[in-house]
Amino acid sequence: MNKCKTRILDVLKQNLSVSDSIYLDDCHLKDIESNLFFPPYEEIDKRANSLRSSAAMIYNTIGPDSILFDGKHYSKIEYERKFPALNNDDQSGHDHSAHLDVSMMSDDLSELILIEAKCLEWFDNPKSMSIAYLSPKCYLTDTGKAVPHFIESFRSLKSCPELKDPKDGTRILPYYRIYDAIQMNIHILGIYNYCSQKKEKVPPKIRLINIVWDYDKAEEYQVEEQEGKEYVSFANVTFRNLFKQLGIDFSVEYVRYSDFLNRVDWSNDMEHRSYLKRYEV
C-alpha cells in the first residue's frame, strides 16, 4: 500500500478514538454502525465499514433529514439516486445509469443539489469509459439533439491536451491521470436526461457538486484537485447552454471536503460537527 495512504489511514484510525476490538483489519470496522453517526439507511453499501468509505463520509456529514448549506436549508435528502444515462443497445448487460451519492432539494424548491463524494479514491486509477458513450444508437431519445454534443464531450476526454507535471512543469503526463472525469461526464448526461424527461417538476437551478476529501501533503491529491478544477471549467463551458435551453441554470463545482464543512451551519448541532473531526488530518 502507498506509504502516504497508509499514514492517512493511521491518522483516521486514531481520530476514531475507539477500542481496537471493533476493527476487522487495518482499514475496516467489524460493522457499519461503528462507522456511522446516524443509523444506516437501507441501501448503504456493506463496504461502508471502511475508514476510506466515501458513502460513510458523506452520510456522516449530511445525514438523513436536512442541512443548512450556503445559508439555505435543504431537505428531501436521497442517497444513491439513479439518473438515466444510456439505453442497453450495446448488449453489454451493464446498468448504464448515473448513480449520484446524494440528492437534496432546497425547502423553497428553487434549487436541487446533486453530490458526487470522494474520500481516498484519488489513490485509485480513474474508471475506463464504455464505447457505448461514443455510439449514437446507445443514447436515450430523451437526449434528443444533444446526442452529438455529449458524444463529442466524451471523445474529448479521451484525447484532451496533455498536462504538465505540477512538480517541475517539465515532464509531460497523460491528462486526467487521477481525476475521474468520465464518471462526472456520465453524471451530467444522466442529469440532462432527467431534466429532458420532465416526469416531475424540475427546479430552475441545479448544482452538481464534487466533494473531495482533501489532504494537501499528498501529491496525488494535488493532482486530483488540479485536474478536478480543469474538468469543472470544461464542464461549465460545455454543458451550460444545453441546460439553459431546458430552462435550467446548471453548474458544476469542485469542493474540498474541508471547505464544504465550513459552508455548513453547525450552530444547532455541535455534537454532529464534533463527530466529523474524525476526517480532519
Side-chain angles (χ1 to χ4, degrees):
M1 186 184 291
N2 180 295
K3 289 183 179 180
C4 179
K5 184 175 177 181
T6 301
R7 181 156 41 90
I8 293 172
L9 287 170
D10 285 343
V11 174
L12 291 176
K13 186 174 179 179
Q14 292 170 15
N15 288 353
L16 291 180
S17 299
V18 294
S19 168
D20 286 343
S21 64
I22 72 169
Y23 284 95
L24 186 64
D25 54 41
D26 287 341
C27 300
H28 300 81
L29 302 176
K30 288 181 180 178
D31 58 77
I32 293 179
E33 286 82 358
S34 300
N35 205 30
L36 298 178
F37 181 76
F38 303 97
Y41 57 91
E42 186 176 349
E43 299 85 7
I44 194 166
D45 195 306
K46 298 300 181 184
R47 292 173 294 182
N49 66 336
S50 170
L51 297 181
R52 59 170 293 183
S53 167
S54 56
M57 180 190 76
I58 201 64
Y59 183 56
N60 283 334
T61 304
I62 294 177
D65 300 316
S66 63
I67 191 170
L68 189 58
F69 173 66
D70 280 353
K72 186 176 286 190
H73 197 265
Y74 293 85
S75 55
K76 296 185 179 178
I77 296 174
E78 183 178 343
Y79 289 87
E80 302 298 332
R81 185 172 176 182
K82 290 172 62 174
F83 291 85
L86 297 179
N87 59 40
N88 293 314
D89 283 357
D90 64 334
Q91 306 300 315
S92 68
H94 294 156
D95 175 21
H96 291 302
S97 298
H99 295 250
L100 273 298
D101 291 323
V102 187
S103 167
M104 57 188 195
M105 181 76 76
S106 62
D107 285 2
D108 61 6
L109 304 181
S110 66
E111 183 177 28
L112 175 67
I113 288 183
L114 300 167
I115 294 173
E116 171 61 35
K118 301 292 187 187
C119 190
L120 298 186
E121 284 88 348
W122 34 262
F123 277 108
D124 304 327
N125 294 322
K127 296 181 178 66
S128 59
M129 184 182 72
S130 167
I131 196 68
Y133 290 96
L134 301 179
S135 174
K137 72 173 186 176
C138 293
Y139 278 76
L140 300 172
T141 56
D142 302 294
T143 315
K145 295 180 180 179
V147 170
H149 204 92
F150 275 102
I151 289 177
E152 183 56 34
S153 72
F154 280 107
R155 184 176 288 114
S156 70
L157 293 180
K158 292 176 68 66
S159 59
C160 267
E162 292 176 323
L163 184 69
K164 288 186 177 180
D165 188 319
K167 224 174 178 183
D168 55 23
T170 55
R171 186 163 56 93
I172 301 299
L173 302 167
Y175 205 66
Y176 297 132
R177 64 189 178 102
I178 290 183
Y179 187 73
D180 203 346
I182 297 295
Q183 183 188 43
M184 290 294 287
N185 232 51
I186 293 171
H187 287 340
I188 294 172
L189 172 60
I191 296 166
Y192 181 85
N193 288 335
Y194 157 74
C195 294
S196 297
Q197 289 176 347
K198 299 180 179 177
K199 290 183 177 180
E200 57 185 85
K201 189 174 181 180
V202 180
K205 185 174 183 179
I206 296 178
R207 279 195 282 172
L208 172 58
I209 302 181
N210 186 193
I211 298 176
V212 182
W213 187 83
D214 47 309
Y215 183 67
D216 284 336
K217 294 180 181 179
E219 180 184 347
E220 293 90 338
Y221 174 71
Q222 295 172 21
V223 176
E224 156 78 23
E225 182 177 40
Q226 181 180 358
E227 293 182 350
K229 290 181 176 179
E230 289 282 350
Y231 175 78
V232 164
S233 296
F234 161 82
N236 281 326
V237 169
T238 302
F239 301 112
R240 192 181 295 270
N241 284 337
L242 285 181
F243 281 88
K244 190 175 181 180
Q245 292 170 20
L246 299 177
I248 307 296
D249 177 10
F250 176 77
S251 62
V252 186
E253 298 176 42
Y254 180 97
V255 178
R256 288 172 167 236
Y257 177 76
S258 58
D259 290 339
F260 183 81
L261 288 179
N262 291 333
R263 291 163 63 178
V264 176
D265 185 343
W266 302 102
S267 56
N268 293 324
D269 200 348
M270 292 309 296
E271 179 186 0
H272 182 188
R273 177 63 185 89
S274 179
Y275 179 90
L276 298 176
K277 290 184 181 297
R278 62 168 52 197
Y279 297 111
E280 296 178 4
V281 176

